[in-house]
Amino acid sequence: MTTNAAASADEPPARPRRRAPAGAAVLRKDVTEAIRTAVFEELAAVGYARMSIEGIARRAGVGKTAVYRRWRSKLHLVLDVVSALAVTGFPAPDTGSLEGDLRLLYEVSSRALRHPVASQIIPDLQAEAARNPDLAEAFQKALRDGQEGVASRIVAAAEQRGELRAGIDPDLALDLISGPLYWRSVVIRAPRPPKGYLEKLARATAGALKAL
């Protein structure tokens, strides 16, 4: 007779428990997160084209089998990691004013985009996405969903406060909010913004949104 699954943990089993199926016991969250972290570090170090499962496993301190139990190829691994960016995203600021929310968003975004890992990974994935439709779709979704969620909450809060008229074009609002800083930090890869730049950008963006 097999052990009743609902039996008390203190009650000795009638016979030795069967071993879990191979691989089931090793899918630990800490190992999975270590692999995901290693993906970012490996992408920053060598780029997508030269990245390998062996390199990821070595950096994560696990065997290749641990990676392959979770993802069947480096493409699927990167797709999963990139897609997860859309879930995490930036928290929406809540300063009490449209200009204040935009300034805080720009301060946080500017620091994130200047991070050595992000500054290496994003351009590399953009180049690879031009050759890989699956990666392009996941990368675009991650970028758009992450920014769209924050931008929509900033706009909605401003509409409730009466700073913006209701029903402004959400796509245009997203372009106005996210475009300038992304252009500066990622496309032309300009250095740290000069003093007062983000404050001026927030003021200009707020004015543009109010004109919609």
Side-chain angles (χ1 to χ4, degrees), residues 99-129:
E99 188 173 323
D101 286 352
L102 290 170
R103 181 175 178 180
L104 183 55
L105 174 64
Y106 289 150
E107 289 173 353
V108 174
S109 300
S110 179
R111 287 196 298 269
L113 291 171
R114 290 200 314 272
H115 189 282
V117 174
S119 65
Q120 292 295 326
I121 288 177
I122 294 176
D124 179 71
L125 288 181
Q126 283 180 317
E128 187 63 32

PDB file of all heavy atoms in Angstrom, residues 99-129:
ATOM      1  N   GLU A  99       4.524  66.544 -13.474  1.00  0.00           N
ATOM      2  CA  GLU A  99       5.937  66.848 -13.675  1.00  0.00           C
ATOM      3  C   GLU A  99       6.813  66.105 -12.674  1.00  0.00           C
ATOM      4  O   GLU A  99       7.885  65.598 -13.024  1.00  0.00           O
ATOM      5  CB  GLU A  99       6.166  68.355 -13.561  1.00  0.00           C
ATOM      6  CG  GLU A  99       7.576  68.783 -13.949  1.00  0.00           C
ATOM      7  CD  GLU A  99       7.743  70.292 -13.989  1.00  0.00           C
ATOM      8  OE1 GLU A  99       6.774  70.977 -14.412  1.00  0.00           O
ATOM      9  OE2 GLU A  99       8.813  70.782 -13.591  1.00  0.00           O
ATOM     10  N   GLY A 100       6.356  66.007 -11.432  1.00  0.00           N
ATOM     11  CA  GLY A 100       7.120  65.279 -10.421  1.00  0.00           C
ATOM     12  C   GLY A 100       7.217  63.794 -10.736  1.00  0.00           C
ATOM     13  O   GLY A 100       8.275  63.180 -10.565  1.00  0.00           O
ATOM     14  N   ASP A 101       6.110  63.207 -11.200  1.00  0.00           N
ATOM     15  CA  ASP A 101       6.120  61.792 -11.570  1.00  0.00           C
ATOM     16  C   ASP A 101       7.087  61.540 -12.725  1.00  0.00           C
ATOM     17  O   ASP A 101       7.841  60.561 -12.719  1.00  0.00           O
ATOM     18  CB  ASP A 101       4.718  61.333 -11.972  1.00  0.00           C
ATOM     19  CG  ASP A 101       3.792  61.190 -10.777  1.00  0.00           C
ATOM     20  OD1 ASP A 101       4.272  61.292  -9.638  1.00  0.00           O
ATOM     21  OD2 ASP A 101       2.581  60.980 -11.003  1.00  0.00           O
ATOM     22  N   LEU A 102       7.052  62.419 -13.717  1.00  0.00           N
ATOM     23  CA  LEU A 102       7.928  62.246 -14.870  1.00  0.00           C
ATOM     24  C   LEU A 102       9.394  62.393 -14.470  1.00  0.00           C
ATOM     25  O   LEU A 102      10.252  61.620 -14.913  1.00  0.00           O
ATOM     26  CB  LEU A 102       7.574  63.269 -15.953  1.00  0.00           C
ATOM     27  CG  LEU A 102       6.234  63.059 -16.659  1.00  0.00           C
ATOM     28  CD1 LEU A 102       5.888  64.265 -17.523  1.00  0.00           C
ATOM     29  CD2 LEU A 102       6.249  61.787 -17.498  1.00  0.00           C
ATOM     30  N   ARG A 103       9.666  63.371 -13.618  1.00  0.00           N
ATOM     31  CA  ARG A 103      11.066  63.567 -13.214  1.00  0.00           C
ATOM     32  C   ARG A 103      11.588  62.343 -12.463  1.00  0.00           C
ATOM     33  O   ARG A 103      12.714  61.900 -12.710  1.00  0.00           O
ATOM     34  CB  ARG A 103      11.180  64.812 -12.340  1.00  0.00           C
ATOM     35  CG  ARG A 103      12.622  65.082 -11.895  1.00  0.00           C
ATOM     36  CD  ARG A 103      12.744  66.373 -11.130  1.00  0.00           C
ATOM     37  NE  ARG A 103      14.105  66.585 -10.673  1.00  0.00           N
ATOM     38  CZ  ARG A 103      14.505  67.644  -9.980  1.00  0.00           C
ATOM     39  NH1 ARG A 103      13.644  68.607  -9.671  1.00  0.00           N
ATOM     40  NH2 ARG A 103      15.768  67.758  -9.606  1.00  0.00           N
ATOM     41  N   LEU A 104      10.795  61.788 -11.546  1.00  0.00           N
ATOM     42  CA  LEU A 104      11.234  60.615 -10.803  1.00  0.00           C
ATOM     43  C   LEU A 104      11.413  59.419 -11.737  1.00  0.00           C
ATOM     44  O   LEU A 104      12.388  58.653 -11.612  1.00  0.00           O
ATOM     45  CB  LEU A 104      10.222  60.281  -9.708  1.00  0.00           C
ATOM     46  CG  LEU A 104      10.582  59.104  -8.786  1.00  0.00           C
ATOM     47  CD1 LEU A 104      11.947  59.319  -8.142  1.00  0.00           C
ATOM     48  CD2 LEU A 104       9.506  58.937  -7.718  1.00  0.00           C
ATOM     49  N   LEU A 105      10.488  59.249 -12.688  1.00  0.00           N
ATOM     50  CA  LEU A 105      10.614  58.165 -13.653  1.00  0.00           C
ATOM     51  C   LEU A 105      11.901  58.301 -14.443  1.00  0.00           C
ATOM     52  O   LEU A 105      12.629  57.315 -14.652  1.00  0.00           O
ATOM     53  CB  LEU A 105       9.412  58.160 -14.605  1.00  0.00           C
ATOM     54  CG  LEU A 105       9.493  57.167 -15.766  1.00  0.00           C
ATOM     55  CD1 LEU A 105       9.504  55.731 -15.257  1.00  0.00           C
ATOM     56  CD2 LEU A 105       8.337  57.378 -16.742  1.00  0.00           C
ATOM     57  N   TYR A 106      12.219  59.518 -14.883  1.00  0.00           N
ATOM     58  CA  TYR A 106      13.427  59.733 -15.669  1.00  0.00           C
ATOM     59  C   TYR A 106      14.689  59.503 -14.846  1.00  0.00           C
ATOM     60  O   TYR A 106      15.691  59.003 -15.364  1.00  0.00           O
ATOM     61  CB  TYR A 106      13.422  61.142 -16.252  1.00  0.00           C
ATOM     62  CG  TYR A 106      12.398  61.346 -17.352  1.00  0.00           C
ATOM     63  CD1 TYR A 106      11.810  62.583 -17.575  1.00  0.00           C
ATOM     64  CD2 TYR A 106      12.009  60.286 -18.165  1.00  0.00           C
ATOM     65  CE1 TYR A 106      10.872  62.766 -18.573  1.00  0.00           C
ATOM     66  CE2 TYR A 106      11.065  60.461 -19.166  1.00  0.00           C
ATOM     67  CZ  TYR A 106      10.504  61.704 -19.363  1.00  0.00           C
ATOM     68  OH  TYR A 106       9.573  61.876 -20.352  1.00  0.00           O
ATOM     69  N   GLU A 107      14.650  59.868 -13.584  1.00  0.00           N
ATOM     70  CA  GLU A 107      15.824  59.648 -12.734  1.00  0.00           C
ATOM     71  C   GLU A 107      16.095  58.154 -12.571  1.00  0.00           C
ATOM     72  O   GLU A 107      17.248  57.704 -12.695  1.00  0.00           O
ATOM     73  CB  GLU A 107      15.617  60.304 -11.367  1.00  0.00           C
ATOM     74  CG  GLU A 107      15.669  61.832 -11.411  1.00  0.00           C
ATOM     75  CD  GLU A 107      15.298  62.465 -10.076  1.00  0.00           C
ATOM     76  OE1 GLU A 107      14.878  61.716  -9.171  1.00  0.00           O
ATOM     77  OE2 GLU A 107      15.416  63.692  -9.954  1.00  0.00           O
ATOM     78  N   VAL A 108      15.046  57.383 -12.300  1.00  0.00           N
ATOM     79  CA  VAL A 108      15.204  55.935 -12.127  1.00  0.00           C
ATOM     80  C   VAL A 108      15.592  55.276 -13.455  1.00  0.00           C
ATOM     81  O   VAL A 108      16.507  54.437 -13.506  1.00  0.00           O
ATOM     82  CB  VAL A 108      13.902  55.314 -11.585  1.00  0.00           C
ATOM     83  CG1 VAL A 108      14.009  53.794 -11.545  1.00  0.00           C
ATOM     84  CG2 VAL A 108      13.591  55.856 -10.189  1.00  0.00           C
ATOM     85  N   SER A 109      14.923  55.657 -14.531  1.00  0.00           N
ATOM     86  CA  SER A 109      15.196  55.057 -15.835  1.00  0.00           C
ATOM     87  C   SER A 109      16.603  55.380 -16.315  1.00  0.00           C
ATOM     88  O   SER A 109      17.296  54.520 -16.882  1.00  0.00           O
ATOM     89  CB  SER A 109      14.178  55.550 -16.872  1.00  0.00           C
ATOM     90  OG  SER A 109      12.867  55.210 -16.502  1.00  0.00           O
ATOM     91  N   SER A 110      17.031  56.615 -16.088  1.00  0.00           N
ATOM     92  CA  SER A 110      18.358  57.027 -16.527  1.00  0.00           C
ATOM     93  C   SER A 110      19.443  56.206 -15.839  1.00  0.00           C
ATOM     94  O   SER A 110      20.403  55.750 -16.474  1.00  0.00           O
ATOM     95  CB  SER A 110      18.568  58.517 -16.253  1.00  0.00           C
ATOM     96  OG  SER A 110      19.853  58.933 -16.657  1.00  0.00           O
ATOM     97  N   ARG A 111      19.280  55.993 -14.540  1.00  0.00           N
ATOM     98  CA  ARG A 111      20.265  55.175 -13.814  1.00  0.00           C
ATOM     99  C   ARG A 111      20.256  53.737 -14.323  1.00  0.00           C
ATOM    100  O   ARG A 111      21.309  53.116 -14.487  1.00  0.00           O
ATOM    101  CB  ARG A 111      19.975  55.198 -12.315  1.00  0.00           C
ATOM    102  CG  ARG A 111      20.318  56.511 -11.633  1.00  0.00           C
ATOM    103  CD  ARG A 111      20.374  56.344 -10.128  1.00  0.00           C
ATOM    104  NE  ARG A 111      19.094  55.930  -9.568  1.00  0.00           N
ATOM    105  CZ  ARG A 111      18.165  56.770  -9.139  1.00  0.00           C
ATOM    106  NH1 ARG A 111      18.358  58.078  -9.233  1.00  0.00           N
ATOM    107  NH2 ARG A 111      17.030  56.323  -8.634  1.00  0.00           N
ATOM    108  N   ALA A 112      19.060  53.195 -14.561  1.00  0.00           N
ATOM    109  CA  ALA A 112      18.958  51.811 -15.032  1.00  0.00           C
ATOM    110  C   ALA A 112      19.585  51.642 -16.416  1.00  0.00           C
ATOM    111  O   ALA A 112      20.305  50.669 -16.671  1.00  0.00           O
ATOM    112  CB  ALA A 112      17.497  51.374 -15.056  1.00  0.00           C
ATOM    113  N   LEU A 113      19.331  52.580 -17.317  1.00  0.00           N
ATOM    114  CA  LEU A 113      19.845  52.471 -18.677  1.00  0.00           C
ATOM    115  C   LEU A 113      21.349  52.687 -18.751  1.00  0.00           C
ATOM    116  O   LEU A 113      22.003  52.210 -19.684  1.00  0.00           O
ATOM    117  CB  LEU A 113      19.132  53.476 -19.591  1.00  0.00           C
ATOM    118  CG  LEU A 113      17.654  53.179 -19.862  1.00  0.00           C
ATOM    119  CD1 LEU A 113      16.998  54.350 -20.584  1.00  0.00           C
ATOM    120  CD2 LEU A 113      17.499  51.902 -20.681  1.00  0.00           C
ATOM    121  N   ARG A 114      21.906  53.405 -17.757  1.00  0.00           N
ATOM    122  CA  ARG A 114      23.356  53.618 -17.725  1.00  0.00           C
ATOM    123  C   ARG A 114      24.095  52.484 -17.041  1.00  0.00           C
ATOM    124  O   ARG A 114      25.329  52.451 -17.055  1.00  0.00           O
ATOM    125  CB  ARG A 114      23.687  54.933 -16.999  1.00  0.00           C
ATOM    126  CG  ARG A 114      23.297  56.189 -17.736  1.00  0.00           C
ATOM    127  CD  ARG A 114      24.070  57.397 -17.211  1.00  0.00           C
ATOM    128  NE  ARG A 114      24.108  57.457 -15.767  1.00  0.00           N
ATOM    129  CZ  ARG A 114      23.197  58.049 -14.991  1.00  0.00           C
ATOM    130  NH1 ARG A 114      22.140  58.618 -15.561  1.00  0.00           N
ATOM    131  NH2 ARG A 114      23.319  58.069 -13.681  1.00  0.00           N
ATOM    132  N   HIS A 115      23.353  51.564 -16.429  1.00  0.00           N
ATOM    133  CA  HIS A 115      24.008  50.441 -15.757  1.00  0.00           C
ATOM    134  C   HIS A 115      24.843  49.670 -16.783  1.00  0.00           C
ATOM    135  O   HIS A 115      24.399  49.446 -17.914  1.00  0.00           O
ATOM    136  CB  HIS A 115      22.957  49.522 -15.140  1.00  0.00           C
ATOM    137  CG  HIS A 115      23.536  48.468 -14.248  1.00  0.00           C
ATOM    138  ND1 HIS A 115      24.133  47.329 -14.744  1.00  0.00           N
ATOM    139  CD2 HIS A 115      23.634  48.390 -12.892  1.00  0.00           C
ATOM    140  CE1 HIS A 115      24.555  46.581 -13.741  1.00  0.00           C
ATOM    141  NE2 HIS A 115      24.268  47.197 -12.611  1.00  0.00           N
ATOM    142  N   PRO A 116      26.072  49.287 -16.419  1.00  0.00           N
ATOM    143  CA  PRO A 116      26.943  48.599 -17.394  1.00  0.00           C
ATOM    144  C   PRO A 116      26.312  47.392 -18.059  1.00  0.00           C
ATOM    145  O   PRO A 116      26.517  47.149 -19.252  1.00  0.00           O
ATOM    146  CB  PRO A 116      28.157  48.189 -16.537  1.00  0.00           C
ATOM    147  CG  PRO A 116      28.186  49.181 -15.424  1.00  0.00           C
ATOM    148  CD  PRO A 116      26.742  49.511 -15.128  1.00  0.00           C
ATOM    149  N   VAL A 117      25.531  46.607 -17.306  1.00  0.00           N
ATOM    150  CA  VAL A 117      24.908  45.426 -17.888  1.00  0.00           C
ATOM    151  C   VAL A 117      23.864  45.827 -18.920  1.00  0.00           C
ATOM    152  O   VAL A 117      23.863  45.344 -20.054  1.00  0.00           O
ATOM    153  CB  VAL A 117      24.283  44.541 -16.787  1.00  0.00           C
ATOM    154  CG1 VAL A 117      23.500  43.397 -17.420  1.00  0.00           C
ATOM    155  CG2 VAL A 117      25.364  43.986 -15.873  1.00  0.00           C
ATOM    156  N   ALA A 118      22.958  46.744 -18.535  1.00  0.00           N
ATOM    157  CA  ALA A 118      21.900  47.172 -19.458  1.00  0.00           C
ATOM    158  C   ALA A 118      22.481  47.850 -20.692  1.00  0.00           C
ATOM    159  O   ALA A 118      22.009  47.634 -21.818  1.00  0.00           O
ATOM    160  CB  ALA A 118      20.936  48.114 -18.742  1.00  0.00           C
ATOM    161  N   SER A 119      23.508  48.669 -20.507  1.00  0.00           N
ATOM    162  CA  SER A 119      24.078  49.408 -21.635  1.00  0.00           C
ATOM    163  C   SER A 119      24.757  48.486 -22.644  1.00  0.00           C
ATOM    164  O   SER A 119      24.919  48.846 -23.815  1.00  0.00           O
ATOM    165  CB  SER A 119      25.082  50.454 -21.129  1.00  0.00           C
ATOM    166  OG  SER A 119      26.192  49.829 -20.516  1.00  0.00           O
ATOM    167  N   GLN A 120      25.154  47.292 -22.206  1.00  0.00           N
ATOM    168  CA  GLN A 120      25.732  46.316 -23.135  1.00  0.00           C
ATOM    169  C   GLN A 120      24.660  45.412 -23.738  1.00  0.00           C
ATOM    170  O   GLN A 120      24.694  45.104 -24.930  1.00  0.00           O
ATOM    171  CB  GLN A 120      26.764  45.453 -22.389  1.00  0.00           C
ATOM    172  CG  GLN A 120      28.017  46.187 -21.963  1.00  0.00           C
ATOM    173  CD  GLN A 120      28.844  46.665 -23.144  1.00  0.00           C
ATOM    174  OE1 GLN A 120      28.903  46.004 -24.182  1.00  0.00           O
ATOM    175  NE2 GLN A 120      29.470  47.816 -23.008  1.00  0.00           N
ATOM    176  N   ILE A 121      23.714  44.982 -22.914  1.00  0.00           N
ATOM    177  CA  ILE A 121      22.732  43.998 -23.358  1.00  0.00           C
ATOM    178  C   ILE A 121      21.750  44.571 -24.368  1.00  0.00           C
ATOM    179  O   ILE A 121      21.462  43.948 -25.406  1.00  0.00           O
ATOM    180  CB  ILE A 121      21.959  43.428 -22.153  1.00  0.00           C
ATOM    181  CG1 ILE A 121      22.865  42.497 -21.348  1.00  0.00           C
ATOM    182  CG2 ILE A 121      20.722  42.665 -22.607  1.00  0.00           C
ATOM    183  CD1 ILE A 121      22.207  41.954 -20.100  1.00  0.00           C
ATOM    184  N   ILE A 122      21.185  45.753 -24.097  1.00  0.00           N
ATOM    185  CA  ILE A 122      20.116  46.273 -24.942  1.00  0.00           C
ATOM    186  C   ILE A 122      20.566  46.475 -26.386  1.00  0.00           C
ATOM    187  O   ILE A 122      19.904  46.005 -27.321  1.00  0.00           O
ATOM    188  CB  ILE A 122      19.529  47.562 -24.342  1.00  0.00           C
ATOM    189  CG1 ILE A 122      18.823  47.236 -23.021  1.00  0.00           C
ATOM    190  CG2 ILE A 122      18.543  48.217 -25.316  1.00  0.00           C
ATOM    191  CD1 ILE A 122      18.285  48.449 -22.292  1.00  0.00           C
ATOM    192  N   PRO A 123      21.701  47.159 -26.656  1.00  0.00           N
ATOM    193  CA  PRO A 123      22.122  47.295 -28.059  1.00  0.00           C
ATOM    194  C   PRO A 123      22.409  45.953 -28.724  1.00  0.00           C
ATOM    195  O   PRO A 123      22.105  45.763 -29.907  1.00  0.00           O
ATOM    196  CB  PRO A 123      23.394  48.157 -27.955  1.00  0.00           C
ATOM    197  CG  PRO A 123      23.254  48.887 -26.666  1.00  0.00           C
ATOM    198  CD  PRO A 123      22.568  47.935 -25.744  1.00  0.00           C
ATOM    199  N   ASP A 124      22.989  45.015 -27.964  1.00  0.00           N
ATOM    200  CA  ASP A 124      23.298  43.709 -28.541  1.00  0.00           C
ATOM    201  C   ASP A 124      22.028  42.960 -28.928  1.00  0.00           C
ATOM    202  O   ASP A 124      21.941  42.363 -30.014  1.00  0.00           O
ATOM    203  CB  ASP A 124      24.104  42.878 -27.534  1.00  0.00           C
ATOM    204  CG  ASP A 124      24.440  41.489 -28.077  1.00  0.00           C
ATOM    205  OD1 ASP A 124      25.279  41.404 -28.998  1.00  0.00           O
ATOM    206  OD2 ASP A 124      23.864  40.506 -27.587  1.00  0.00           O
ATOM    207  N   LEU A 125      21.020  42.980 -28.051  1.00  0.00           N
ATOM    208  CA  LEU A 125      19.767  42.302 -28.357  1.00  0.00           C
ATOM    209  C   LEU A 125      19.026  42.988 -29.495  1.00  0.00           C
ATOM    210  O   LEU A 125      18.341  42.325 -30.284  1.00  0.00           O
ATOM    211  CB  LEU A 125      18.885  42.233 -27.107  1.00  0.00           C
ATOM    212  CG  LEU A 125      19.347  41.256 -26.019  1.00  0.00           C
ATOM    213  CD1 LEU A 125      18.371  41.277 -24.846  1.00  0.00           C
ATOM    214  CD2 LEU A 125      19.482  39.840 -26.575  1.00  0.00           C
ATOM    215  N   GLN A 126      19.148  44.298 -29.584  1.00  0.00           N
ATOM    216  CA  GLN A 126      18.532  45.000 -30.711  1.00  0.00           C
ATOM    217  C   GLN A 126      19.123  44.520 -32.032  1.00  0.00           C
ATOM    218  O   GLN A 126      18.402  44.284 -33.006  1.00  0.00           O
ATOM    219  CB  GLN A 126      18.736  46.511 -30.574  1.00  0.00           C
ATOM    220  CG  GLN A 126      17.822  47.171 -29.563  1.00  0.00           C
ATOM    221  CD  GLN A 126      18.081  48.657 -29.474  1.00  0.00           C
ATOM    222  OE1 GLN A 126      19.229  49.105 -29.459  1.00  0.00           O
ATOM    223  NE2 GLN A 126      17.032  49.432 -29.403  1.00  0.00           N
ATOM    224  N   ALA A 127      20.445  44.383 -32.065  1.00  0.00           N
ATOM    225  CA  ALA A 127      21.101  43.922 -33.288  1.00  0.00           C
ATOM    226  C   ALA A 127      20.702  42.481 -33.608  1.00  0.00           C
ATOM    227  O   ALA A 127      20.421  42.147 -34.766  1.00  0.00           O
ATOM    228  CB  ALA A 127      22.620  44.034 -33.127  1.00  0.00           C
ATOM    229  N   GLU A 128      20.661  41.630 -32.590  1.00  0.00           N
ATOM    230  CA  GLU A 128      20.283  40.231 -32.813  1.00  0.00           C
ATOM    231  C   GLU A 128      18.822  40.115 -33.220  1.00  0.00           C
ATOM    232  O   GLU A 128      18.457  39.254 -34.035  1.00  0.00           O
ATOM    233  CB  GLU A 128      20.546  39.429 -31.543  1.00  0.00           C
ATOM    234  CG  GLU A 128      20.363  37.936 -31.699  1.00  0.00           C
ATOM    235  CD  GLU A 128      21.333  37.322 -32.699  1.00  0.00           C
ATOM    236  OE1 GLU A 128      22.473  37.838 -32.817  1.00  0.00           O
ATOM    237  OE2 GLU A 128      20.940  36.358 -33.375  1.00  0.00           O
ATOM    238  N   ALA A 129      17.966  40.983 -32.659  1.00  0.00           N
ATOM    239  CA  ALA A 129      16.536  40.933 -32.971  1.00  0.00           C
ATOM    240  C   ALA A 129      16.273  41.214 -34.449  1.00  0.00           C
ATOM    241  O   ALA A 129      15.278  40.735 -35.008  1.00  0.00           O
ATOM    242  CB  ALA A 129      15.778  41.937 -32.105  1.00  0.00           C
TER     243      ALA A 129
END
